[in-house]
Amino acid sequence: MASVRIREAKEGDCGDILRLIRELAEFENLSHQVKISEEALRADGFGENPFYHCLVAEILPAPGELLGPCLVGYGIYCFIYSTWKGRTIYLEDIYVMPEYRGQGIGSKIIKKVAEVRRGVGATSEDLKKQGWPWIRAAPNSAWPSWTGTRGPWTCTRP
């Protein structure tokens, strides 16, 4: 099995992130709804006050391989504020390329988001997710125990 690293996205990753966003949209039969551009991802995610944060899953080459690292998944999140519960982290999307599923990559992304949540003092009960029906069925999924939450998940997209 190849070595996987979960890391914060860099500005130079925006082309690959957009590729993965389009793959997710295709998977959900919603390609027509993708309006974002690589330039918008750069402007909105990297700068003094980013609108979003992104973790990427990167397959690292084995020693001696000529190919460089390859991005195979991502998780996009942002911070919001609940007037009742305070700091909240909102996980907008998570995606792992089909050929890399079943290796725990999605779980690693989710666990890293949970680490970020704890690091900023966000309440676990308010960690939200979109409607990801495919992740619940994924082998070795961390769903839904990864956060230690007590409350229900919030699905906001059809």
Side-chain angles (χ1 to χ4, degrees), residues 117 123-127 144-153:
R117 174 196 45 83
T123 57
S124 60
E125 291 82 8
D126 289 333
L127 192 60
S145 63
W146 61 280
T147 63
T149 61
R150 295 186 310 268
W153 294 84

Side-chain angles (χ1 to χ4, degrees), residues 20 23-24 27 72-74 93-98 101 109 134:
L20 294 167
E23 285 184 24
L24 172 59
F27 178 82
V72 300
Y74 73 93
D93 271 329
I94 181 171
Y95 178 73
V96 176
M97 293 171 59
R101 293 182 192 159
I109 293 170
W134 55 272

Side-chain angles (χ1 to χ4, degrees), residues 26 29 39 71 82 91 99 105 123:
E26 180 73 25
N29 295 316
E39 294 75 24
L71 296 189
S82 166
L91 182 55
E99 58 268 33
I105 296 172
T123 57

Side-chain angles (χ1 to χ4, degrees), residues 7-20 38 41-42 46 54-56 58 71:
R7 63 169 174 80
E8 287 286 333
K10 302 174 193 167
E11 190 171 350
D13 296 326
C14 288
D16 283 321
I17 294 167
L18 182 58
R19 171 183 54 83
L20 294 167
E38 188 175 335
L41 285 171
R42 275 195 191 96
F46 302 90
C54 184
L55 296 170
V56 293
E58 182 175 58
L71 296 189

Side-chain angles (χ1 to χ4, degrees), residues 15-134:
D16 283 321
I17 294 167
L18 182 58
R19 171 183 54 83
L20 294 167
I21 289 170
R22 288 181 175 145
E23 285 184 24
L24 172 59
E26 180 73 25
F27 178 82
E28 293 181 347
N29 295 316
L30 296 171
S31 296
H32 61 283
Q33 291 188 18
V34 177
K35 307 295 183 208
I36 195 80
S37 68
E38 188 175 335
E39 294 75 24
L41 285 171
R42 275 195 191 96
D44 294 342
F46 302 90
E48 197 171 316
N49 295 304
F51 278 87
Y52 74 90
H53 301 271
C54 184
L55 296 170
V56 293
E58 182 175 58
I59 300 292
L60 301 172
E65 282 187 0
L66 297 178
L67 296 175
C70 174
L71 296 189
V72 300
Y74 73 93
I76 289 185
Y77 64 94
C78 62
F79 299 103
I80 60 175
Y81 198 82
S82 166
T83 56
W84 289 11
K85 296 184 179 182
R87 295 176 182 178
T88 304
I89 194 167
Y90 182 84
L91 182 55
E92 166 66 16
D93 271 329
I94 181 171
Y95 178 73
V96 176
M97 293 171 59
E99 58 268 33
Y100 293 96
R101 293 182 192 159
Q103 300 178 35
I105 296 172
S107 294
K108 288 178 181 179
I109 293 170
I110 289 171
K111 287 176 183 175
K112 189 72 167 179
V113 172
E115 287 176 22
V116 171
R117 174 196 45 83
R118 287 188 296 275
V120 299
T123 57
S124 60
E125 291 82 8
D126 289 333
L127 192 60
K128 299 184 183 348
K129 66 108 183 149
Q130 292 283 335
W132 312 313
W134 55 272

